Amino acid sequence: MFDRPESALRIVVRSRFYRSAFLSLLIAGIGTSAATPQLTLFLVKELGTPLPVAGLYYVTNLAAPVAGFLIGRWSDRSPERMLWFRLCAVVGTVGWLAMALADSVWLPFVISALALSVGGGAMAQLFAACRDELSRHPTKADNRVVAAIRMAFTVGWMLGPVLGSWFGGVFGLRALLVATAVCVFAQIIPFGRQRIERYADLTLRPHAESRRQIDHMMPLLVFTAVCVLAMTGDTIKFGYLPIYMADELHISDSMRGAVIGIQPLLELLMLPLVARLADRVGAMPVMTGGAVLGLAGNLAYATSTSVGMLFLGQALTAGLWACVGALGVSIAQQLYPEGVGTASGVFLSAIPVSSAIGGAIGGLGVAAIGLPHVFFVPAVLTTFATAAFVVLSLRARPVLPPRDA
């Protein structure tokens, strides 16, 4: 007789902590995604920032790896994981409130680098706490549990831009930033006074304060860098695909919205499927397949001459992001199990770093080779990422091996 497969949904529903994590990520996703697309408009319209200078705002994302690493290290040395989640959320709240009150061009840049980079660490520490719970209460559906919780953030990112556009139009951009601060703080509320003690696996080596520690972190750092390569095309897509659709393909507003909106919807649908596949065949092979989908998506954008190719590109890219969302943080934690807080912080910093690098590549690439051929650049980078994932699959120690599902 075979064991009945464990239901990730049942595990999440029965656990007070997992239910709280789901609601927390939903709130955080709505708040962050409501403000992010409006920030450039805020800089230009409210502060009079020149457009080229406003575009440099996203370079402040490069502070995220430093903040993620430091917070993760402190978290891995603390007995209580949720303390750092709450501290990051409070710092993020203060940062968004300060952003709403900013009256100088330079202030948002400083606030983003110093406060919002720390605030972004809340999500990493929440996933570290999830890993503590999964280690303390193992299941045969770990990937699916993480994916189910991660789905809340994806839903938030689907709702946030719509709500943000409406709220900013009715109440103003500064009010929108205040509302974002409220959401960032509200992500704490579902947990109440819950505490999650850091899980200590006595079979793992203790932290080393030497070069050996960096050597041991190298698989995590390499994996994170490879993910950055794979994700650079997303910023280029959001920045320039709407322009290409409007100016070159003359696509209607509603159709442009459908093209942009289809990716998060498909990603949401694919998250549980990706997690189930990873539970059967292993996470790293599935991540490699996701990189192949991302490569194909960039090629679809680069060779597109009709809206159909753009829809295809979005569907393929959704596969990449479903793999990143469902598996990325779990793989990172498995590559550095003695410091899951550090692993979570380092990996999740890959997203803002890829955004900063993608923005720079997009600006230079559009000027050099134009639209839509600029997407050949992230296609080349994703090719390198795919090859690197293959090497990691062959050489790294086993990552989340297949389970009986």
Side-chain angles (χ1 to χ4, degrees):
M1 294 291 293
F2 293 98
D3 294 335
R4 291 184 62 187
E6 293 186 81
S7 167
L9 179 61
R10 188 178 297 116
I11 293 170
V12 171
V13 170
R14 288 179 177 177
S15 167
R16 180 189 175 194
F17 171 73
Y18 293 147
R19 294 196 308 269
S20 301
F22 184 94
L23 184 56
S24 175
L25 285 175
L26 177 63
I27 296 170
I30 291 174
T32 304
S33 65
T36 299
Q38 306 294 328
L39 281 175
T40 302
L41 183 61
F42 170 74
L43 292 172
V44 174
K45 185 176 179 180
E46 297 290 333
L47 300 182
T49 308
L51 191 57
V53 176
L56 295 175
Y57 171 82
Y58 294 99
V59 177
T60 60
N61 288 337
L62 295 177
V66 178
F69 175 79
L70 292 177
I71 294 167
R73 297 302 293 163
W74 295 329
S75 171
D76 288 332
R77 289 182 169 90
S78 300
E80 210 279 300
R81 186 77 72 183
M82 296 302 289
L83 169 64
W84 293 98
F85 165 76
R86 293 182 173 98
L87 286 175
C88 288
V90 169
V91 172
T93 300
V94 173
W96 283 110
L97 288 175
M99 188 78 78
L101 298 173
D103 57 2
S104 300
V105 170
W106 59 271
L107 276 175
F109 292 82
V110 175
I111 293 167
S112 177
L114 297 182
L116 300 188
S117 61
V118 174
M123 183 175 177
Q125 296 315 303
L126 182 53
F127 277 115
C130 287
R131 177 52 54 187
D132 287 333
E133 280 293 281
L134 288 169
S135 298
R136 193 174 290 112
H137 306 290
T139 75
K140 294 182 179 180
D142 286 6
N143 287 322
R144 281 172 279 156
V145 170
V146 173
I149 296 171
R150 177 62 171 75
M151 286 173 71
F153 194 73
T154 302
V155 173
W157 270 86
M158 292 172 61
L159 299 175
V162 177
L163 296 175
S165 297
W166 168 79
F167 193 95
V170 174
F171 299 103
L173 295 175
R174 290 186 185 273
L176 173 61
L177 299 182
V178 173
T180 297
V182 172
C183 288
V184 170
F185 182 79
Q187 68 181 308
I188 300 174
I189 296 175
F191 292 99
R193 297 184 178 181
Q194 289 184 67
R195 293 169 54 89
I196 300 296
E197 294 184 3
R198 178 172 56 85
Y199 178 80
D201 189 343
L202 300 180
T203 65
L204 298 174
R205 72 184 72 185
H207 290 288
E209 301 296 337
S210 68
R211 178 181 175 84
R212 289 167 48 207
Q213 179 182 352
I214 300 299
D215 291 341
H216 195 56
M217 287 182 63
M218 194 55 64
L220 167 65
L221 298 177
V222 171
F223 173 71
T224 302
V226 172
C227 288
V228 168
L229 291 180
M231 295 187 293
T232 52
D234 216 50
T235 302
I236 303 174
K237 179 189 69 181
F238 283 116
Y240 296 102
L241 200 60
I243 297 174
Y244 173 63
M245 288 190 288
D247 294 348
E248 300 290 336
L249 299 182
H250 307 293
I251 297 173
S252 66
D253 292 343
S254 59
M255 186 59 70
R256 292 201 303 271
V259 170
I260 296 298
I262 195 67
Q263 179 187 321
L265 176 60
L266 293 176
E267 178 187 337
L268 179 66
L269 297 175
M270 294 172 71
L271 278 169
L273 301 177
V274 165
R276 182 174 291 275
L277 182 61
D279 279 334
R280 291 183 178 275
V281 304
M284 192 64 83
V286 177
M287 183 67 81
T288 305
V292 173
L293 294 177
L295 166 60
N298 283 314
L299 291 176
Y301 297 139
T303 58
S304 63
T305 57
S306 66
V307 70
M309 287 293 289
L310 297 181
F311 274 115
L312 176 61
Q314 286 287 75
L316 293 167
T317 304
L320 167 63
W321 280 93
C323 292
V324 171
L327 307 176
V329 70
S330 296
I331 293 175
Q333 291 167 347
Q334 187 70 15
L335 288 171
Y336 194 59
E338 60 268 49
V340 296
T342 302
S344 302
V346 169
F347 171 75
L348 288 176
S349 70
I351 298 175
V353 169
S354 68
S355 176
I357 295 175
I361 290 174
L364 296 174
V366 167
I369 58 179
L371 290 168
H373 298 135
V374 66
F375 287 99
F376 281 122
V377 179
V380 171
L381 296 179
T382 310
T383 300
F384 287 125
T386 302
F389 278 136
V390 171
V391 173
L392 287 174
S393 297
L394 296 175
R395 298 186 61 180
R397 60 174 177 254
V399 176
L400 298 180
R403 298 174 180 270
D404 295 330

